[in-house]
Amino acid sequence: NERVALKGLEILGSLEKTLNEMSLESDWYFGDLRLEGKALQLEGSHLMKEKESKEKAIESDLDLLRRTLNNVTSDLETKRRSKQSDFNEKVAKLRNESQRKKDERVRELHKALHESRSDEMSASLRKQILSDIEKEDKATAKKEEEMKADLEECLTLIDRDIVHARRKFNVDSESTRERLIREWKHEEVLYRHKCSVWIGISSRKVENFKSRRSKK
């Protein structure tokens, strides 16, 4: 599962807890602190919505990268199958043509043997045609090997392109995640710092307020 979840604003709980200890009636004591806390609370809500927006942006970017990868690999796989199919057709055509030539030489042999007037001439004809057939087989095998080598070279290049596309997808995906998470982390750290400062000051104020009330 490649879904990316950004870190939440855990400090919001501490912020709310501190705010709950500051009543509206106590504004005369806390001054603008409670309003500042409310402002921080609103800012936190805004940041949480931004967090959801960033997560959707990550998913959208990753989906686009996945679709691009699928399209590229699909085209390359289609090209691979096409090259293999062309090779198979050419090999079949080459073999059929070779067989046609050999069949023709055999017919020539039968005709020549029928017209031959001596055993010596017949033996010579058999030897010649068998030699021609052997040469044809070797020539066909050589041509087939050359075609096979060309195919393997082409398929190797296609496979290399597929591997490159997948590596690029992995690099781009990781880069997308890191960029957006880094942006969020920067905003989250700044906000947490502001809240921590406010909570520190407010907590002391709350304790002093409680202490002052208890002495009355």
Side-chain angles (χ1 to χ4, degrees), residues 102 105-106 129-138:
K102 290 189 290 185
R105 291 297 286 147
V106 170
I129 291 178
L130 288 175
S131 176
D132 290 347
I133 290 174
E134 184 179 1
K135 288 178 181 178
E136 178 62 31
D137 285 340
K138 288 181 178 180

Side-chain angles (χ1 to χ4, degrees), residues 53-64:
S53 177
K54 285 183 180 294
E55 287 176 338
K56 289 179 181 177
I58 291 173
E59 289 304 314
S60 177
D61 289 349
L62 290 177
D63 283 341
L64 177 60

Side-chain angles (χ1 to χ4, degrees), residues 15 27 48 66 78 175 180:
L15 177 67
D27 273 358
M48 290 304 290
R66 291 186 200 104
T78 298
S175 175
L180 291 173

Side-chain angles (χ1 to χ4, degrees), residues 90-123:
K90 289 178 180 179
V91 167
K93 185 177 180 180
L94 176 67
R95 291 175 180 176
N96 289 337
E97 178 62 19
S98 177
Q99 188 61 49
R100 185 193 65 76
K101 290 179 181 179
K102 290 189 290 185
D103 290 343
E104 185 177 340
R105 291 297 286 147
V106 170
R107 286 193 296 272
E108 290 174 1
L109 171 62
H110 288 164
K111 181 179 179 182
L113 289 175
H114 181 72
E115 296 174 353
S116 175
R117 298 181 180 180
S118 68
D119 292 340
E120 184 179 350
M121 182 178 291
S122 297

Side-chain angles (χ1 to χ4, degrees), residues 13 36 70 92 97 113 116 128 145 156 160 163 176 198 200-201:
E36 290 172 3
N70 289 337
E97 178 62 19
L113 289 175
S116 175
Q128 179 62 47
E145 284 298 318
T156 297
R160 185 191 65 185
V163 170
T176 297
W198 181 87
I201 295 172

